[in-house]
Amino acid sequence: MKLNVLDAICGYGKSVYFTESITSSPDDYSVVMVPSLAEVTRYTKECNKYLPEDKQLTAASTEEHDTKSEHIEALLTEKKSFVCTHHMYERITPAMCSLAKKLHLKRGKKVLYLDETIELVGVSKMVSAEDMKLLHTRDKYIDVNETTGLVSWVSKHVLSGYKHVKNACDNGQIYYLADKYIVFDVPVDWLLAFDEVYVATYRFRYSPMYHYLKSNGIEVNFIDSGADRKNKLKEQYRKRIKVLDDITIKRHRLSKSGYDYDPSGIKREINRCVQEAMKQTDTPLDKTLVTFYKHFDGKNQLKYWFEKLKIGKKINGPLIELRKGEEVEVYKSCYIPWNTIGTNDYRDKELMVFNVHPHINPGVLQYLSERGQSLDKKGWALNACIQWLFRGCVRDHEAGTMYVAIPDKELREAFKMWLQMDEVESKTPVVDIGSPKLRARKYQDYNKLVNQNPQCKIYSFDEYLEHGGPKLKRMAKEAA
């Protein structure tokens, strides 16, 4: 298996690269995994215009099957190329991996396309901490390895509604760490079943997926995406993005724990920031997009608070959205979650207000650390911010100025620094630093460099390993 990464700035045309690759190779068996149902529709529509009738992409669905998993197994058996959402990755079974691995083609290759990174390791959506306590402490259905945290299903019986959890345990996919973090580990067998895997994303080295692949010894090949082309795009963005510098909320209040500590206070602050940003930029309600942590103070605040404000009134829509794996009709408002990726539905928004300080789940960090990997938390947070902001009108090259309000001052400065930096061509890593102990020491050196030279914060730990501290300082100085 060869894993290729197209690492390029938002708006580069990564999805177009995928659709052209698929339609120009009709003999390939193609599987496409995308962030949303809207993207499933877009890929099938765009690709099927040009693919022969017997080679067209099928959208995984429940129209003729009880579950999408059953449909995917049928499509693999019938050698039919298909598209599904990232959500289905957590539902990949050994049977699916086996079918993909055994699938034989007379011509062409088996190719897996991942539009944006997937959570090969992340917080499980299929089982909660309360579920684990029920299964482990009270009813003894599961056992947790004291050293690794790996969860095993030890009971002969399956509790109603937990068959999928038992399957995941049997596959060695669930870890229970520090008695509170449920980490879901997707085996790489699905990737290894294909001849080639393509990932289209941006700042890949800051993603958990990159570090997970490294911990499993999978080599990553970066596709040459052309630094000149990316920098021309970046220059356009510099001219069109205006950052509002005087809208601020103290960082500790923008964390999830800060929301829970003073829910009334953070509501007032968010409302103030949004209203100030709208007034400063003279942006109307229907051109404004806002994000914050939806669940805090024990409630869904989108429903119990935000939608009761003027800024939260439902507008436009309706849209079809993925919620807990099901298609439901909702209305498009001035809010989308802070971790939204891969959608063009909000490219009319001229004011973007990012009211969070993102934190990656500590369980994921612990999982990666135990495998010798050090994820750059600040780089990851900046990634989340960039991805969200690029849902707005900056994606539309015909649109004008996009105003950005980032109340977290440190994150705002990091974004401004990123905006001024030229894009560097991603290269296949050639550095082997050996043991986790040596890696930890190198990471300390990297942190020292960043603390003494704040302009280098924009570069990742792996870029430090690749280029060295002196070169990073020169690159940062040249870009300033």
Side-chain angles (χ1 to χ4, degrees):
M1 183 273 292
K2 185 177 181 181
L3 194 143
N4 307 286
V5 176
L6 178 59
D7 191 323
I9 193 168
C10 305
Y12 176 89
K14 299 185 289 290
S15 296
V16 173
Y17 179 92
F18 272 11
T19 56
E20 288 180 351
S21 296
I22 293 165
T23 55
S24 63
S25 307
D27 288 330
D28 286 353
Y29 179 76
S30 300
V31 174
V32 189
M33 305 189 85
V34 296
S36 66
L37 286 171
E39 289 297 285
V40 169
T41 302
R42 186 168 73 88
Y43 266 91
T44 51
K45 182 179 178 181
E46 290 299 316
C47 292
N48 289 347
K49 284 180 188 176
Y50 307 103
L51 288 170
E53 189 172 341
D54 61 334
K55 301 287 186 178
Q56 296 202 337
L57 295 179
T58 300
S61 71
T62 55
E63 289 182 8
E64 298 180 4
H65 297 81
D66 291 337
T67 66
K68 289 182 182 178
S69 295
E70 289 182 7
H71 190 198
I72 288 174
E73 285 198 20
L75 292 167
L76 286 164
T77 302
E78 297 164 13
K79 297 185 182 179
K80 289 185 177 179
S81 297
F82 65 89
V83 192
C84 65
T85 61
H86 288 183
H87 172 80
M88 292 306 301
Y89 207 102
E90 196 169 316
R91 307 281 176 169
I92 296 296
T93 64
M96 293 179 194
C97 295
S98 178
L99 285 169
K101 189 174 182 180
K102 293 177 181 177
L103 194 148
H104 177 69
L105 302 176
K106 292 181 180 179
R107 290 186 297 178
K109 303 184 296 288
K110 294 180 291 183
V111 186
L112 173 63
Y113 294 92
L114 303 176
D115 194 330
E116 297 297 348
T117 59
I118 50 175
E119 291 189 350
L120 291 175
V121 53
V123 180
S124 176
K125 298 177 180 66
M126 70 165 62
V127 59
S128 67
E130 288 72 25
D131 290 329
M132 297 300 289
K133 289 173 183 176
L134 168 71
L135 296 169
H136 184 227
T137 308
R138 199 183 79 184
D139 294 330
K140 301 294 183 184
Y141 282 90
I142 61 173
D143 181 60
V144 180
N145 186 292
E146 292 183 3
T147 304
T148 64
L150 182 66
V151 179
S152 303
W153 194 280
V154 293
S155 173
K156 295 180 180 179
H157 307 286
V158 181
L159 195 62
S160 177
Y162 286 87
K163 183 178 179 181
H164 59 297
V165 178
K166 179 184 183 300
N167 290 340
C169 290
D170 291 345
N171 296 336
Q173 294 175 273
I174 296 182
Y175 293 79
Y176 190 35
L177 305 174
D179 292 330
K180 54 182 176 180
Y181 305 125
I182 302 93
V183 176
F184 191 90
D185 165 333
V186 180
V188 295
D189 295 0
W190 178 246
L191 303 178
L192 297 174
F194 292 83
D195 299 315
E196 291 187 349
V197 177
Y198 286 87
V199 182
T201 188
Y202 182 47
R203 288 164 52 91
F204 183 57
R205 288 190 173 99
Y206 294 101
S207 70
M209 181 180 180
Y210 171 68
H211 291 281
Y212 180 81
L213 293 173
K214 286 182 67 178
S215 71
N216 280 276
I218 294 179
E219 184 178 335
V220 175
N221 173 57
F222 286 95
I223 298 169
D224 184 356
S225 51
D228 288 345
R229 176 180 170 185
K230 291 188 289 189
N231 282 316
K232 285 180 182 177
L233 270 175
K234 193 77 166 285
E235 183 59 32
Q236 293 177 24
Y237 297 152
R238 289 190 193 108
K239 294 176 180 177
R240 295 179 52 214
I241 295 175
K242 180 173 177 53
V243 181
L244 306 179
D245 274 325
D246 55 349
I247 294 177
T248 302
I249 301 174
K250 291 182 179 178
R251 161 168 278 204
H252 72 275
R253 303 192 70 176
L254 289 166
S255 66
K256 183 63 169 62
S257 58
Y259 274 53
D260 286 325
Y261 180 76
D262 184 12
S264 297
I266 195 63
K267 289 176 186 177
R268 287 194 299 270
E269 292 276 38
I270 291 171
N271 198 23
R272 172 185 64 79
C273 287
V274 174
Q275 298 296 340
E276 283 185 13
M278 290 175 64
K279 185 177 180 180
Q280 282 187 30
T281 60
D282 195 27
T283 304
L285 178 66
D286 63 341
K287 296 296 182 182
T288 301
L289 196 62
V290 181
T291 197
F292 51 84
Y293 289 114
K294 185 167 70 173
H295 293 278
F296 62 96
D297 194 26
K299 296 177 182 176
N300 178 344
Q301 297 293 347
L302 190 63
K303 178 180 180 181
Y304 286 95
W305 165 62
F306 190 68
E307 289 183 355
K308 296 178 182 178
L309 303 177
K310 182 181 178 182
I311 183 67
K313 296 298 183 185
K314 293 176 179 177
I315 59 170
N316 304 335
L319 298 176
I320 298 299
E321 184 180 271
L322 182 70
R323 186 180 295 167
K324 293 184 178 179
E326 300 296 330
E327 292 182 5
V328 295
E329 188 175 74
V330 296
Y331 284 84
K332 178 180 173 184
S333 73
C334 293
Y335 167 92
I336 57 171
W338 63 268
N339 54 358
T340 299
I341 59 174
T343 176
N344 294 318
D345 290 339
Y346 301 88
R347 62 191 301 165
D348 62 319
K349 302 300 183 181
E350 298 171 0
L351 171 61
M352 310 290 286
V353 190
F354 192 78
N355 292 297
V356 298
H357 174 60
H359 286 278
I360 192 166
N361 187 281
V364 174
L365 293 176
Q366 182 178 334
Y367 176 96
L368 293 173
S369 177
E370 289 174 356
R371 288 154 181 79
Q373 299 298 309
S374 302
L375 177 67
D376 185 329
K377 292 182 288 186
K378 291 182 179 179
W380 177 87
L382 179 58
N383 262 18
C385 181
I386 292 169
Q387 284 283 1
W388 189 85
L389 293 174
F390 271 76
R391 299 311 103 205
C393 73
V394 73
R395 297 186 72 81
D396 185 350
H397 298 298
E398 302 299 320
T401 300
M402 186 178 83
Y403 296 98
V404 168
I406 307 172
D408 180 338
K409 185 177 179 181
E410 185 177 329
L411 186 58
R412 179 168 70 237
E413 292 303 315
F415 176 76
K416 288 165 63 178
M417 191 180 298
W418 166 81
L419 194 59
Q420 294 306 313
M421 292 282 189
D422 282 343
E423 294 293 295
V424 179
E425 187 61 49
S426 297
K427 296 179 181 178
T428 302
V430 295
V431 181
D432 182 6
I433 60 170
S435 69
K437 186 179 290 186
L438 178 57
R439 185 178 181 85
R441 190 161 70 245
K442 289 282 187 181
Y443 194 69
Q444 289 176 347
D445 294 340
Y446 165 71
N447 281 329
K448 185 177 178 180
L449 170 75
V450 167
N451 289 332
Q452 294 176 350
N453 303 272
Q455 71 274 19
C456 292
K457 285 182 180 179
I458 201 68
Y459 298 113
S460 70
F461 175 51
D462 286 289
E463 287 170 320
Y464 167 75
L465 293 177
E466 184 177 335
H467 300 290
K471 186 173 180 180
L472 286 191
K473 287 194 284 186
R474 288 197 304 273
M475 289 162 60
K477 185 177 180 180
E478 289 168 3

